[in-house]
Amino acid sequence: MIGPVMRAQPVVCTGGDVSPRSRFDRSQLINGSFAIVFLVLSVVAVTTTDSFLTDDNLTNLLRQSVPTALLSLGMLMVILTGGIDLSVGSIVALTGVMAAGLTADLPVSVAMALAVAVGIACGAVNGLLVAWFRLAPFVVTLAALTTIRGLAYVYSETPITPASAGFLTLGTGSIGPIPFATVIVVALFAAAWVFLTRTTVGRAIVAIGGNREAVRLAGVHVPRHVLLAYLISGFCAGVAGVILASRVGIAQPSVGIAFELNAIAACVIGGASLAGGRGGVVGTLGGVVLLGLIDNLLTLHDVQSYWQQVLKGLIIAVVVLARRREDL
């Protein structure tokens, strides 16, 4: 019953009288431009540094991209519904310190599972307030950002070193040259692609962002699907927090500040519309790779971190402007 609604969604969510074919061509042109930017940056990285193609740097690049990839995947689910989740960075901090702290009394696997469960609970609270109480996602998750960050400091004002050496395996171990964490990311992205493109629930989440009322009239329980999107975002943030603490070897309540910007940027670069209803897993992964390459290139050239933040902000603004052309 919801199939026709979702097939009609791309037309409903856009304005103007531009034909779908013209809009598709424009989208392909923009995607091609980002691919060219990626190739140019890759060439610059290879030709201006001696260490870019070394095994250590590439492995480090894969590991450092994991938190952004996981947060972007969860953020994509929320953005597709027309929402936003600004609390993911704080969830990373809370779940990280909890996972490390709980290893003092519990087995590592149980401690990590409980920390991820806390991330899911945070997503559930956000989802309930947005879906059932119809509060603005920006306001709800901004409040959650502050609240959850405070809870991280309540749990521990100082960094926590995990009690068990096995805690580091998830973040630092590898299968051959591929880090464990990267394998987890690939598996979750593959599962998310199947979920959004091959399941009724996943297609409904996309359709809600395109036309919420039409989806409701088609018989879809909208609040339940919106809640699911925030649950997935909380889960991804929880996994990211655990993996980050495991990789670094110490969990800090201050970690994760501005992580949500990276996640939003990756989604937008990948073609997601902040108005909802448009975006995909493959594009988001491309956005993560591009941001990771930019970060790595700036680090190799010793660009100071605050200039990196300036650059990321400009990238988001430029990409949003470019993607806006798709709807004109």
Side-chain angles (χ1 to χ4, degrees), residues 81-112:
T81 67
I84 198 78
D85 189 351
L86 302 178
S87 66
V88 292
S90 297
I91 295 176
V92 167
L94 178 61
T95 54
V97 293
M98 289 195 68
L102 289 173
T103 56
D105 303 307
L106 298 171
V108 171
S109 57
V110 176
M112 289 182 170

Side-chain angles (χ1 to χ4, degrees), residues 11-242:
V11 177
V12 173
C13 68
T14 58
D17 54 359
V18 180
S19 68
R21 177 63 184 176
S22 176
R23 190 173 295 116
F24 175 79
D25 291 342
R26 190 175 293 165
S27 178
Q28 293 298 96
L29 177 62
I30 294 173
N31 290 336
S33 300
F34 287 129
I36 292 173
V37 170
F38 176 78
L39 291 175
V40 169
L41 290 175
S42 298
V43 171
V44 170
V46 171
T47 56
T48 60
T49 66
D50 295 328
S51 55
F52 178 72
L53 290 179
T54 61
D55 292 343
D56 287 344
N57 183 61
L58 293 178
T59 301
N60 190 45
L61 176 59
L62 288 175
R63 288 199 169 107
Q64 288 186 339
S65 297
V66 166
T68 300
L70 291 170
L71 297 182
S72 302
L73 187 59
M75 187 69 73
L76 173 66
M77 299 294 173
V78 174
I79 286 177
L80 286 173
T81 67
I84 198 78
D85 189 351
L86 302 178
S87 66
V88 292
S90 297
I91 295 176
V92 167
L94 178 61
T95 54
V97 293
M98 289 195 68
L102 289 173
T103 56
D105 303 307
L106 298 171
V108 171
S109 57
V110 176
M112 289 182 170
L114 287 175
V116 173
V118 169
I120 296 173
C122 293
V125 173
N126 287 336
L128 286 171
L129 292 174
V130 172
W132 262 273
F133 293 92
R134 305 298 297 270
L135 300 179
F138 178 85
V139 176
V140 169
T141 57
L142 184 62
L145 178 153
T146 301
T147 304
I148 297 171
R149 177 70 62 185
L151 290 175
Y153 278 101
V154 168
Y155 188 85
S156 176
E157 295 182 6
T158 57
I160 299 177
T161 301
S164 171
F167 184 83
L168 307 180
T169 302
L170 182 63
T172 60
S174 62
I175 303 175
I178 309 299
F180 285 153
T182 301
V183 175
I184 293 173
V185 166
V186 172
L188 289 178
F189 267 75
W193 182 83
V194 172
F195 173 68
L196 288 177
T197 61
R198 296 292 185 270
T199 69
T200 303
V201 175
R203 288 195 291 261
I205 286 178
V206 179
I208 287 171
N211 192 321
R212 186 188 187 104
E213 184 61 17
V215 174
R216 187 188 68 79
L217 293 175
V220 175
H221 196 290
V222 173
R224 191 178 301 160
H225 287 76
V226 172
L227 172 62
L228 177 60
Y230 282 90
L231 283 174
I232 295 173
S233 180
F235 166 76
C236 290
V239 174
V242 170

